[in-house]
């Protein structure tokens, strides 16, 4: 070890340069842009453009190109410096197709296809090098992780296969493979030249009529009545109908000009470049050594060694100003040293390599590690394409297409809810929280995707009314839309994350069985609550909701909110409190998105919309003892409330409204009370015998009951028909999406949701596993858990074809096939007798 340390010290002393790189020589493409700026500015700014794209990186160029392709030929791109001069130019530009969801993967597959077609369309080479990628594992859990990725790749039609450590060594001869347990080989991955891609996109967009203006910085965004109207530049004002904000590192500040929130922050991102070394001949695959936080490939006969270290370095706002053009940050060898030690272990040839530079370029990161795409909640006509989290080149082609599609057609080409611009709670748009969270997000890029994993930073931002009580009951907390919610109770030590049976298995079993045999309390307080009031409350909701919302006061209604395609924008329950007053209960993470959707469709209706989420607590009392408990607590009147009805009562002298519904398949009520009354109501329920239960128990019971959830079984690609929920839709029409649903019924569309029970009780499905039927992939799981009431691992899934009740299938869990039985409908209590009892 001492000898190795000497080599490292020698390496650092010989090549460390105390250089502050505030400017570097721009690439050839950037020079061309600068040399031709006078010609560009010879064209005067137009007075109006249908869409203005702000920012000339990969997202801006791709969005402009796709807008022009979709017929918006008067679109204009404004770049305050030169194209690619922010972060695009220094991207390592890897294009790896596989992502954690089908549509994010589909988006990158589109990028690959686009980049190859651009050369034919424009004659401009994009530098596409397709040498594949090699992901190695040096720990058993990493091996499980990459094999889960391989299984996912098969479901998405991506060529990937497991290979031995020996074959991995053959594909990367310079690699030290002594500790490698296995690998996955993906031959179709590759990389491009970022500047050349942008040059091709810009050339094609201009050919279609779009215009680009460099050296044209935006100094203000004009808005009127919450909608964008134009932009101000130093060269003049352009009026517009929409703005695509693709400003990378500066997106938070530019969005603020229009009153919108973009919680994204820049971090320093490092990669090492060496001079040519022996053994590098031609191009190599990208080597992913994620246990060491590294990615490695050739570069001009040498090596590029990049990292996503466990905790990055945030860049405070204001450090990167308008003069930061083709800029880099200071080399920081002290910060990079742990990664350098890992790299020397993996690539012994580095000990004698000569270093060109340690590149330190800024990249922007969001609070959850996924980019932001779509219209903002705050400002109509302002569309985001930013927060790319260091995957801008891979994502840019498909993300730009989807952003243009969203601007032109009102929605992305396919569901991208996980990237929706409206998904973050306002509390995240806070510099203190972003400075803590963004460095952690950088480090999670190469994390093992353990079930139950929670982020550590920017926690305790929003606490429930019963936070103190839950922590006293040793709750293990998870963060949802900023809220801290109990995942399970009775934690004695911090759980060790794993892929096999989790540490909390017995805790969750106890909570499920309490709800099944006695009574349990589930906290639904963070679910969004929207009051809809006014003379037109019913007619408005009949327009935006597909369900039977015209029912009498005292009713509870389950309903979907659909888009024009007849697919889900949201699902919710509505309580009609009076003729002119409804209260909508929406998903925890959906409140900002759903409220924006409702506001944008309320024009012409005499209604008011109010977010009352934090005014009320909601406690779900579920189980066969529920009736006894409410009676003992003085709320006997709730026992008179019929199924899917609500009523009021006094529980230990506190007013509550009990809705007779159940998300877990046991009888009970979801009881709404004032926030300040929640501690007394909760204490009375627990004293009478109810046991606190967390979201893990609720999820297990939901899956057993076959209840669909947004983000799992339901999304913007799924209709109520395909989800088996057409029974909850009005057949008379008159709502958004009705025509599309009617067309689907005429086509003979049917449900493709199935329930699954696995034979092997020790199997641990997590969701997204491929479903095989007679040797071919027929679908994927969407939600999975252990079903304690049925005694087996269970899941819900989508299939491309209808299966029959009792059919036998196989579930691919990390390349191990597990037999399972198909059930059409719920696995537990299919007649729903228990929750109606």
């Amino acid at each position: 070890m001492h000898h190795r340390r000497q080599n490292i010290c020698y390496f650092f002393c010989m090549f460390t340069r105390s250089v502050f790189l505030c400017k570097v020589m721009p690439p050839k493409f950037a020079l061309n842009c600068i040399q031709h700026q006078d010609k560009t500015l010879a064209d005067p700014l137009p007075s109006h453009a249908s869409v203005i794209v702000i920012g000339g990186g990969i997202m801006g160029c791709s969005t402009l190109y796709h807008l022009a392709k979709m017929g918006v030929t008067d679109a204009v791109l404004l770049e305050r410096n030169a194209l690619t001069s922010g972060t695009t130019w220094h991207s390592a530009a890897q294009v790896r197709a596989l992502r954690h969801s089908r549509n994010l993967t589909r988006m990158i597959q589109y990028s690959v296809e686009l980049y190859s077609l651009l050369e034919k369309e424009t004659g401009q080479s994009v530098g596409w090098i397709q040498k594949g990628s090699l992901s190695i594992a040096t720990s058993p859990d990493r091996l499980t992780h990459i094999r889960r990725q391989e299984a996912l790749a098969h479901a998405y039609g991506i060529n990937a296969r497991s290979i031995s450590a020996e074959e991995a060594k053959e594909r990367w001869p310079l690699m030290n493979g002594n500790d490698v347990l296995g690998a996955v080989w993906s031959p179709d991955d590759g990389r491009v030249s970022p500047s050349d891609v942008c040059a091709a996109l810009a050339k094609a967009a201009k050919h279609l009529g779009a215009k680009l203006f460099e050296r044209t910085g935006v100094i203000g965004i004009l808005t009127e009545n919450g909608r964008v109207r134009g932009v101000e530049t130093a060269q003049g004002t352009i009026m517009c109908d929409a703005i695509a904000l693709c400003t990378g590192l500066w997106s938070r500040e530019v969005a603020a000009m229009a009153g919108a929130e973009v919680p994204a922050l820049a971090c320093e991102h490092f990669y090492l470049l060496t001079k040519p070394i022996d053994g590098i001949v031609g191009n190599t695959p990208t080597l992913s050594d994620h246990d060491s936080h590294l990615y490695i490939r050739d570069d001009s006969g040498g090596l590029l060694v990049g990292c996503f270290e466990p905790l990055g370095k945030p860049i405070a706002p204001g450090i990167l100003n308008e003069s930061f053009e083709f800029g880099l940050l200071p080399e920081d060898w002290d910060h990079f040293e742990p990664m350098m030690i890992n790299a020397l272990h993996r690539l012994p040839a580095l000990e004698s390599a000569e270093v060109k530079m340690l590149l330190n370029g800024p990249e922007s990161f969001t609070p959850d590690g996924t980019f932001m795409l779509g219209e903002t909640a705050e400002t109509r006509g302002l569309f985001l394409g930013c927060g790319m989290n260091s995957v801008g080149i891979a994502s840019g082609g498909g993300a730009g297409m989807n952003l243009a599609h969203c601007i032109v057609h009102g929605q992305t080409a396919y569901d991208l809810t996980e990237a929706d611009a409206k998904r973050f709670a306002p509390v995240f748009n806070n510099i203190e929280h972003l400075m803590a969270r963004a460095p952690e997000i950088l480090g999670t890029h190469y994390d093992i995707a353990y079930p139950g994993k929670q982020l550590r930073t920017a926690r305790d931002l929003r606490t429930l009314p019963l936070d103190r009580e839950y922590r006293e009951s040793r709750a293990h907390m998870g963060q949802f839309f900023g809220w801290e919610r109990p995942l399970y109770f009775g934690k004695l030590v911090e759980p060790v994350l794993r892929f096999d049976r989790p540490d909390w298995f017995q805790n969750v079993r106890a909570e499920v069985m309490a709800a099944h045999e006695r009574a349990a309390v589930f906290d639904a307080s963070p679910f969004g609550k929207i009051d809809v009031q006014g003379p037109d409350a019913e007619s408005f909701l009949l327009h935006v909701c597909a369900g039977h919302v015209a029912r009498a006061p005292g009713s509870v209604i389950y309903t979907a909110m659909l888009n024009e395609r007849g697919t889900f924008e949201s699902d919710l329950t509505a309580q009609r409190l009076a003729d002119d007053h409804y209260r909508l209960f929406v998903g925890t993470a959906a409140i900002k998105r759903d409220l924006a959707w409702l506001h944008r469709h309320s024009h012409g209706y005499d209604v008011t919309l109010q977010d009352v989420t934090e005014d009320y607590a909601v406690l779900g009392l579920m189980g066969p003892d529920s009736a006894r408990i409410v009676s003992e607590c003085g709320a006997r009147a709730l026992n008179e409330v019929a199924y899917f009805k609500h009523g009021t009562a006094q529980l230990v002298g506190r007013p509550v409204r009990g809705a007779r519904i159940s998300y877990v398949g046991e009888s009970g009520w979801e009881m709404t009370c004032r926030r300040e009354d929640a501690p007394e109501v909760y204490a009375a329920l627990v004293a009478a015998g109810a046991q606190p239960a967390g979201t893990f128990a609720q999820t297990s019971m939901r899956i057993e009951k076959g209840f669909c959830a947004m983000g799992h079984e339901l999304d913007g690609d799924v209709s109520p028909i395909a989800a088996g929920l057409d029974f909850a839709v009005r057949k008379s029409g008159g709502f958004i999406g009705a025509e599309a649903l009617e067309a689907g019924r005429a086509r003979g569309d049917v449900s493709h949701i199935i329930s699954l029970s696995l034979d092997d009780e020790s199997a641990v499905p997590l969701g997204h596993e491929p479903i095989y039927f007679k040797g071919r992939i027929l679908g994927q799981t969407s939600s999975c858990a252990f079903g304690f009431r049925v005694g087996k691992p269970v899941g819900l899934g989508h299939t491309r074809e209808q299966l029959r009740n009792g059919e036998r299938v196989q579930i691919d869990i990390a390349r191990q096939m597990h037999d399972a039985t198909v059930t059409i409908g719920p696995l537990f209590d299919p007649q729903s007798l228990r929750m109606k009892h």
Side-chain angles (χ1 to χ4, degrees):
M1 181 63 195
H2 177 69
H3 172 69
R4 173 57 59 85
R5 179 66 186 171
Q6 282 184 323
N7 285 339
I8 294 168
C9 291
Y10 171 74
F11 183 94
F12 277 36
C13 290
M14 188 163 59
F15 300 113
T16 300
R17 298 164 294 160
S18 299
V19 177
F20 181 82
L21 292 169
C22 60
K23 294 267 187 177
V24 299
M25 184 63 69
K28 179 180 178 182
F29 171 56
L31 282 173
N32 288 340
C33 292
I34 294 170
Q35 290 164 0
H36 288 86
Q37 65 178 315
D38 292 337
K39 181 178 184 303
T40 303
L41 288 180
D43 294 328
L45 290 179
S47 60
H48 181 272
S50 296
V51 183
I52 296 174
V53 179
I54 308 177
I58 180 62
M59 271 303 299
C61 291
S62 177
T63 302
L64 184 74
Y65 167 82
H66 285 99
L67 285 168
K69 279 282 190 180
M70 294 177 190
V72 188
T73 53
D74 69 335
V76 167
L77 184 149
L78 305 178
E79 164 56 50
R80 72 180 176 191
N81 294 314
L83 297 188
T84 79
S85 61
T87 62
T88 296
W89 73 273
H90 63 69
S91 170
Q94 270 121 213
V95 182
R96 299 188 63 190
L98 182 62
R99 291 297 183 266
H100 64 268
S101 75
R102 177 178 296 278
N103 283 349
L104 287 180
T105 301
R106 179 180 177 184
M107 188 184 71
I108 296 178
Q109 288 173 312
Y110 176 90
S111 293
V112 172
E113 183 178 0
L114 171 68
Y115 297 159
S116 62
L117 291 175
L118 277 174
E119 294 195 23
K120 299 174 185 176
E121 182 177 349
T122 66
Q124 165 75 53
S125 170
V126 299
W128 174 244
I129 298 171
Q130 189 174 37
K131 288 293 182 177
S133 64
L134 183 67
S135 297
I136 62 171
T138 60
S139 67
D141 280 356
R142 178 68 66 180
L143 190 60
T144 298
H145 174 85
I146 65 173
R147 285 178 175 168
R148 284 187 61 84
Q149 289 184 312
E150 181 196 353
L152 202 60
H154 294 175
Y156 298 159
I158 294 174
N159 186 6
R161 63 181 178 88
S162 292
I163 62 174
S164 66
E166 292 73 24
E167 185 177 343
K169 174 71 172 174
E170 291 173 8
R171 294 188 178 278
W172 246 93
L174 291 180
M175 175 182 70
N176 168 18
N178 292 339
D179 56 348
V180 175
L181 303 179
V184 169
W185 168 241
S186 303
D188 296 335
D189 291 341
R191 59 186 187 264
V192 293
S193 165
S195 296
D196 288 336
V197 167
C198 288
L201 289 165
K203 182 177 180 179
K206 289 167 70 176
H207 179 73
L208 292 166
K211 293 183 179 180
L212 292 83
F213 294 89
E214 297 177 278
R215 308 295 165 188
T216 309
V218 172
I219 58 176
I221 296 176
L222 304 176
T223 63
E224 182 182 6
N225 297 324
R227 175 181 280 277
V228 300
R229 292 302 181 196
V231 301
E232 293 180 303
T233 78
Q235 285 76 34
T237 298
I238 310 177
M239 305 306 289
C240 65
D241 303 315
I243 293 172
L245 195 151
C246 305
T247 45
L249 304 169
W250 301 278
S251 296
R252 185 171 183 271
E253 291 76 15
V254 179
M257 294 180 183
E261 296 179 341
V262 175
L265 187 83
C267 288
E268 300 182 22
H269 180 54
F270 299 87
Y271 62 76
L272 176 76
L273 294 170
T274 78
K275 294 182 179 179
I277 65 173
D278 292 338
I280 298 292
V281 179
N283 297 120
T284 65
T286 297
L287 174 62
S288 298
D289 180 8
H290 293 170
D291 284 326
S292 298
H293 316 288
L294 300 173
Y295 62 91
I296 303 163
R297 64 166 171 82
D298 68 281
D299 186 89
S300 302
L303 287 170
L304 183 155
V305 181
C307 68
F308 286 95
E309 65 273 31
L311 191 65
K313 294 179 64 179
I315 303 172
I319 299 296
L320 306 177
N321 58 27
E322 63 275 3
S323 67
F324 191 83
E325 177 184 3
F326 296 109
L328 294 173
L329 299 162
E331 294 180 334
D332 188 342
W333 286 96
D334 288 339
H335 184 79
F336 190 70
E337 181 176 2
M339 302 299 100
M340 191 69 235
I341 294 171
N342 292 345
L344 286 165
H345 168 73
R346 186 59 57 216
L347 298 173
L350 275 177
E351 291 200 19
S352 58
E354 192 173 351
V355 171
K356 284 183 183 178
M357 69 183 304
L358 177 62
L359 186 144
N360 180 3
E363 298 276 2
S364 59
F365 294 86
T366 62
D368 64 0
T370 301
F371 57 88
M372 301 181 71
L373 191 146
E375 193 173 25
T376 65
E378 299 84 7
T379 308
R380 293 299 311 269
L382 183 68
F383 294 82
L384 303 182
C386 55
M388 301 310 292
N389 294 270
S390 203
V391 294
I393 297 298
S395 304
M401 179 274 289
N402 273 285
L403 183 55
H405 197 282
C406 191
I407 295 168
V408 173
H409 299 291
Q411 68 273 325
T412 51
Y414 34 80
D415 181 76
L416 288 172
T417 302
E418 59 210 303
D420 191 276
K422 298 178 283 292
R423 72 185 183 276
F424 291 116
V427 70
F428 280 112
N429 193 34
N430 172 289
I431 287 301
E432 180 184 354
H433 301 154
L434 289 171
M435 289 285 284
R437 174 60 65 84
E440 183 183 11
I441 291 297
L442 181 148
T444 63
H445 270 242
Y446 290 167
D447 270 1
I448 295 174
Y450 289 115
K453 182 176 176 60
Q454 288 287 315
L455 294 167
R456 302 182 306 277
T457 58
R459 296 297 298 267
D460 297 324
L461 305 182
R462 305 175 79 186
T463 56
L464 296 173
L466 297 168
D467 184 74
R468 180 181 61 82
E469 287 83 352
Y470 293 153
R471 294 180 192 270
E472 288 175 353
S473 297
R474 302 193 304 274
H476 181 67
M477 309 298 280
Q479 189 182 64
F480 301 84
F481 201 63
W483 292 101
E484 295 293 330
R485 295 178 62 183
L487 301 178
Y488 66 91
F489 289 87
K491 177 178 71 174
L492 299 178
V493 297
E494 282 299 312
V496 176
L497 299 179
R498 49 174 28 103
F499 284 112
D500 56 2
R501 184 163 285 182
D503 284 5
W504 51 79
F505 186 84
Q506 294 300 337
N507 304 66
V508 177
R509 178 197 292 275
E511 294 169 21
V512 171
M513 298 317 291
H516 180 54
E517 296 172 350
R518 302 180 304 282
V521 182
F522 299 86
D523 197 320
S525 301
F527 274 50
K529 308 168 197 71
I530 302 170
D531 274 7
V532 180
Q533 292 180 271
D536 294 342
E538 180 181 298
S539 58
F540 169 61
L541 290 178
L542 284 170
H543 173 59
V544 295
C545 293
H548 300 275
V549 292
R551 287 176 175 153
S555 297
V556 179
I557 307 108
Y558 169 78
T559 180
M561 287 199 299
L562 306 177
N563 51 45
E564 295 290 351
R565 294 176 293 179
T567 59
F568 280 88
E569 284 293 319
S570 180
D571 78 329
L572 56 95
T573 57
Q575 294 181 15
R576 190 166 192 177
L577 307 184
D579 287 339
D580 61 352
H581 187 186
Y582 291 79
R583 181 165 294 148
L584 312 183
F585 293 78
V586 304
T588 301
I591 179 64
K592 189 174 182 179
R593 174 187 170 116
D594 287 359
L595 195 54
W597 180 264
L598 290 165
H599 272 299
R600 289 173 187 184
H601 289 88
S602 63
H603 181 71
Y605 291 94
D606 186 2
V607 293
T608 60
L609 304 171
Q610 185 179 6
D611 178 5
V612 296
T613 302
E614 301 205 34
D615 295 343
Y616 298 99
V618 178
L619 299 178
L621 175 67
M622 302 292 160
D625 281 356
S626 297
R628 173 188 61 80
I629 289 173
V630 295
S631 295
E632 288 183 9
C633 294
R636 186 181 299 275
L638 293 183
N639 286 317
E640 305 304 316
V641 176
Y643 192 57
F644 263 84
K645 300 291 183 181
H646 64 82
T648 58
Q650 295 283 318
L651 197 151
V652 291
R654 302 295 176 178
V656 299
R657 182 180 300 276
R660 187 84 155 79
I661 53 177
S662 175
Y663 200 43
V664 297
E666 302 289 346
S667 62
W669 300 267
E670 290 188 1
M671 294 186 289
T672 303
C673 65
R674 293 176 305 211
R675 179 187 180 94
E676 60 271 22
D677 291 339
E680 288 190 52
V681 171
Y682 174 78
L685 298 178
V686 172
Q691 179 175 327
T695 58
F696 286 165
Q698 178 177 276
T699 296
S700 166
M701 301 175 82
R702 171 185 76 80
I703 296 169
E704 286 180 314
K705 278 298 297 174
F707 291 150
C708 296
M710 285 295 296
H712 297 275
E713 292 71 44
L714 311 178
D715 60 33
D717 291 336
V718 176
S719 75
I721 300 171
L725 294 170
D726 198 31
F727 67 88
V729 172
R730 305 194 312 273
K731 303 307 181 288
S732 57
F735 54 88
I736 299 170
E739 294 80 6
L741 281 188
E742 189 56 41
R745 294 187 194 102
R747 287 192 305 268
D749 289 356
V750 294
S751 172
H752 291 289
I753 296 287
I754 59 171
S755 294
L756 296 159
S757 58
L758 281 69
D759 294 357
D760 183 356
E761 291 185 20
S762 66
V764 185
L766 304 176
H768 296 290
E769 292 91 359
I771 301 170
Y772 283 78
F773 179 64
K774 297 181 178 179
R776 59 191 177 94
I777 297 176
L778 196 63
Q780 269 185 280
T781 61
S782 49
S783 298
C784 292
F786 192 90
F788 295 99
R789 291 176 296 188
V790 301
K792 291 182 178 181
V794 297
L796 296 172
H798 291 274
T799 58
R800 292 189 288 274
E801 301 171 16
Q802 271 193 303
L803 295 177
R804 294 192 301 272
N805 206 51
E807 295 268 26
R808 298 284 285 169
V809 296
Q810 290 187 309
I811 312 300
D812 181 352
I813 304 177
R815 303 307 291 135
Q816 295 292 316
M817 295 298 182
H818 293 266
D819 294 329
T821 301
V822 171
T823 297
I824 307 303
L827 294 166
F828 173 77
D829 187 24
Q831 302 302 317
S832 296
L833 299 177
R834 290 182 65 88
M835 62 185 187
K836 296 176 182 178
H837 177 68

